[in-house]
Amino acid sequence: MTAEAAHMRATIIGLSAVLMWATLGLFGAGSGSVPPFLLNALCFGLSGCLAIIWLAIRGKLSLMKQPLRVWAFGTIGLFGFHFFYFTAIRNAPPVDANLINYTWPLLIVVFSALLPGESLRLHHVIGTLLGLFGAALLITGGDGLSFSGGSALGYGAAVASCLFWSTYSVLSRRLGKVPTEAVAGFCLMTALLSALCHVFLEETVWPARATEWMSVAALGLFPVGLAFFTWDIGVKRGDIQVLGAAAYSAPLLSTLLLIAFGFGSFTLSVSLACIAITVGALIAAKDMIFRPAS
């Protein structure tokens, strides 16, 4: 496989994470009233344990032996993002907090220009800004933002969450020699820290029905499991700028799934968001999509 083909393959694998994250809303809605940190602990615990079992079967548990700085980086990245995101939506209007958090794809594109061998070009910026505009339409429904006073903690946490995830994604590129299998350890540590937060911050509410347990399992298998492994491959070996711009399709696809399953309706703002995000992704990825045949 040529270097160019391997680069495109890694990008496509990374894009699968975006597709899986699109199911967060649907499976999250199906998980009932389980509080966020408990849900986080259950999902990351499931994904981490399954990954460890898979590594043991393949005789690759030795890949978990990584320097402390690698463990710290991965755990802080995964747990820090979720901790600050949950803090944000609890201490600020959820719509505002969600939109601030969803600047992380834009930050990935911008920060990627600092990586060796990468450069930020105009079409990357235009495409990502169109994606941000589309995400804003989806999240606000075209009604604007309140940015209420007294929510400084929530807004600050939302900024922190987007900085954590964008920084984690971009810096993962600098740790290209760390095997993707190490993400299994990051998941387990995130599950442990989430469980501790649950004990001190939340009231325990378990899934009440089989369908809720199935939704929790689906979350742990895909958007809060496999997605982090495929994203790691994408940001380390694929086109990180295309991945950043394409990430805006996650809230769009999530909204469309919720509509399809009766949790919402197709509105003008959703239609405009579809157009903006699709066009933005095509513009940002034009080098990859419209590359002349060699």
Side-chain angles (χ1 to χ4, degrees):
M1 182 183 295
T2 65
E4 184 176 313
H7 188 70
M8 180 174 290
R9 180 175 179 271
T11 303
I12 293 172
I13 291 173
L15 289 173
S16 71
V18 178
L19 295 177
M20 285 184 272
W21 286 332
T23 65
L24 272 169
L26 181 62
F27 293 142
S31 64
S33 301
V34 182
F37 283 115
L38 176 58
L39 185 61
N40 219 37
L42 291 172
C43 294
F44 275 109
L46 174 62
S47 60
C49 287
L50 289 177
I52 291 294
I53 293 171
W54 178 73
L55 288 175
I57 292 173
R58 299 187 65 195
K60 292 187 174 182
L61 276 177
S62 60
L63 294 177
M64 298 292 292
K65 296 179 181 179
Q66 298 296 326
L68 180 60
R69 64 182 181 84
V70 172
W71 278 85
F73 169 77
T75 302
I76 291 171
L78 291 185
F79 176 74
F81 167 72
H82 290 88
F83 176 83
F84 284 111
Y85 178 70
F86 292 150
T87 301
I89 61 176
R90 285 179 171 183
N91 292 278
V95 168
D96 299 358
N98 209 26
L99 183 56
I100 293 171
N101 171 71
Y102 247 100
T103 58
W104 66 257
L106 174 62
L107 293 178
I108 285 178
V109 174
V110 174
F111 292 166
S112 68
L114 303 175
L115 292 170
E118 299 288 349
S119 61
L120 185 62
R121 301 174 64 182
L122 181 60
H123 65 275
H124 293 135
V125 177
I126 293 174
T128 310
L129 287 175
L130 275 173
L132 178 60
F133 172 71
L137 281 176
L138 279 178
I139 295 168
T140 65
D143 294 331
L145 300 170
S146 61
F147 288 112
S148 60
S151 299
L153 174 61
Y155 293 138
V159 171
S161 70
C162 71
L163 286 173
F164 261 74
W165 190 246
S166 57
T167 303
Y168 169 82
S169 297
V170 172
L171 290 182
S172 290
R173 187 84 157 207
R174 302 298 298 268
L175 297 176
K177 293 183 179 180
V178 176
T180 293
E181 287 83 354
V183 174
F186 306 161
C187 289
L188 287 177
M189 291 302 297
T190 299
L192 175 61
L193 292 174
S194 296
L196 290 174
C197 285
H198 166 67
V199 169
F200 290 104
L201 300 174
E202 296 175 334
E203 179 181 352
T204 301
V205 179
W206 296 105
R209 298 184 296 275
T211 53
E212 293 182 0
W213 279 108
M214 290 173 63
S215 292
V216 171
L219 284 168
L221 289 172
F222 300 108
V224 192
L226 183 59
F228 292 108
F229 292 85
T230 60
W231 183 254
D232 187 77
I233 292 172
V235 296
K236 282 180 178 175
R237 298 190 282 276
D239 191 323
I240 193 170
Q241 292 163 336
V242 169
L243 290 172
Y248 278 120
S249 64
L252 169 62
L253 295 173
S254 180
T255 300
L256 294 178
L257 276 175
L258 289 170
I259 291 172
F261 282 85
F263 290 99
S265 57
F266 199 79
T267 63
L268 177 60
S269 60
V270 173
S271 302
L272 293 175
C274 284
I275 296 171
I277 291 173
T278 302
V279 172
L282 288 173
I283 291 173
K286 78 177 186 67
D287 291 340
M288 185 178 77
I289 298 172
F290 303 110
R291 181 182 288 115
S294 55

